[in-house]
């Protein structure tokens, strides 16, 4: 059974600090990795995708991928109250099916 | 550039009834995936349609069926509704090739079964 694991949280971070969200996956053949943000009652919104080892930066967001450790993370710098949401990690497995984690709830405290 | 649209937004049905949900993909996309999301959980993959055929299917019973039309829009049908089918149903569109498999979601349909 292919799995994507995330800490359910909630993760509480002060405004202006760095929020660090983590995800591990079981399928070593996975090639594509995605972070989605989901506000309560809304649908997931794609915020980052990463395909190769290392870091990928987009504004205040940085995705980090380590395929050897089967680990992907999302860093949010200068956290804002509007970043409070559930962050979902999704992994495209070797069968080209997207496998989802259950999400980490992030709370940014003003 | 139109994003993914879904209809209806909300729906209330009774156990045993049948329901049809609709989805129009993002402009330029040719693949539609359907997900079920229960409260506090990640999306669960139902199936994916490409070129009017079901390309992949998750672990859902045959009560869940779908269709894709020549204009790439799609329908999800659920027969013999159970209370446990109450959830947010999400449609996501993507490009089969050259799109890096990024999926973009519609607003979802909230289905309540009573």
């Amino acid at each position: 059974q292919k799995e994507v694991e995330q800490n359910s949280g909630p993760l509480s971070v002060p405004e202006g600090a760095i929020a660090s969200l983590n995800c591990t996956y079981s399928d070593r053949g996975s090639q594509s990795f995605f972070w989605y943000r989901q506000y309560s009652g809304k649908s997931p919104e794609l915020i980052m995708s990463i395909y190769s080892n290392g870091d990928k930066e987009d504004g205040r967001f940085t995705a980090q991928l380590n395929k050897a450790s089967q680990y992907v993370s999302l860093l949010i710098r200068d956290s804002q109250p509007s970043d409070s949401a559930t962050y979902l990690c999704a992994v495209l497995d070797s069968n080209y099916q997207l496998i989802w984690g259950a999400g980490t709830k992030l709370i940014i405290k003003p | 550039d139109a994003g993914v649209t879904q209809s209806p937004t909300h729906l209330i049905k009774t156990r045993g009834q049948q329901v049809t949900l609709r989805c129009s993909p993002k402009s330029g996309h040719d693949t539609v995936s359907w997900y079920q999301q229960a409260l506090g959980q990640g999306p669960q993959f139902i199936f994916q349609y490409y070129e009017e055929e079901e390309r992949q299917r998750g672990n859902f019973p045959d009560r869940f069926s779908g269709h894709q039309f020549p204009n790439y829009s799609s329908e999800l049908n659920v027969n013999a509704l159970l209370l446990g089918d109450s959830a947010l149903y999400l449609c996501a569109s993507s490009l089969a090739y050259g799109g890096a498999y990024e999926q973009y979601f519609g607003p979802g349909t909230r289905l309540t079964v009573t």
Side-chain angles (χ1 to χ4, degrees):
Chain A
Q1 179 76 4
K2 296 171 184 174
E3 294 182 334
V4 173
E5 301 285 345
Q6 295 182 255
N7 188 319
S8 61
L11 174 65
S12 184
V13 173
E15 183 176 357
I18 296 175
S20 178
L21 303 161
N22 304 314
C23 171
T24 59
Y25 58 96
S26 62
D27 183 3
R28 283 197 170 273
S30 300
Q31 294 294 323
S32 303
F33 307 85
F34 308 94
W35 283 100
Y36 285 79
R37 177 176 61 199
Q38 187 172 28
Y39 293 114
S40 181
K42 302 296 185 183
S43 63
E45 174 192 7
L46 178 65
I47 54 173
M48 289 288 286
S49 53
I50 187 166
Y51 307 99
S52 54
N53 279 329
D55 295 0
K56 179 182 177 183
E57 187 175 317
D58 183 1
R60 295 187 297 112
F61 298 98
T62 299
Q64 300 175 317
L65 175 61
N66 184 327
K67 289 185 179 179
S69 301
Q70 296 175 245
Y71 177 94
V72 58
S73 65
L74 179 70
L75 302 178
I76 306 175
R77 290 182 299 281
D78 187 24
S79 296
Q80 303 297 311
S82 59
D83 295 326
S84 297
T86 295
Y87 288 80
L88 296 161
C89 174
V91 175
L92 194 72
D93 71 8
S94 48
N95 292 324
Y96 297 97
Q97 182 170 322
L98 212 52
I99 309 297
W100 293 79
T104 298
K105 184 173 183 178
L106 175 65
I107 298 172
I108 306 300
K109 290 187 172 180
Chain B
D1 182 16
V4 182
T5 60
Q6 291 187 246
S7 63
T9 306
H10 295 87
L11 205 52
I12 299 175
K13 290 286 189 178
T14 304
R15 269 183 305 176
Q17 286 188 317
Q18 178 264 343
V19 68
T20 297
L21 310 182
R22 295 176 175 82
C23 171
S24 290
K26 181 180 169 69
S27 179
H29 284 184
D30 55 11
T31 302
V32 172
S33 303
W34 285 93
Y35 294 88
Q36 179 194 69
Q37 187 177 29
L39 207 59
Q41 304 209 2
Q44 299 296 311
F45 176 68
I46 303 174
F47 42 55
Q48 184 181 79
Y49 276 84
Y50 170 67
E51 290 191 338
E52 303 180 48
E53 292 191 356
E54 184 182 288
R55 188 159 75 166
Q56 287 186 330
R57 189 180 182 92
N59 189 24
F60 277 79
D62 292 345
R63 297 187 298 109
F64 290 77
S65 64
H67 190 77
Q68 185 180 35
F69 300 93
N71 66 352
Y72 308 118
S73 67
S74 177
E75 289 183 348
L76 164 65
N77 300 293
V78 187
N79 294 323
L81 284 167
L82 304 174
L83 294 178
D85 295 332
S86 295
L88 179 66
Y89 287 84
L90 296 163
C91 165
S93 75
S94 56
L95 268 173
Y97 302 100
Y101 303 102
E102 293 179 345
Q103 295 190 3
Y104 295 86
F105 284 86
T109 295
R110 173 71 62 185
L111 173 65
T112 302
V113 182
T114 62

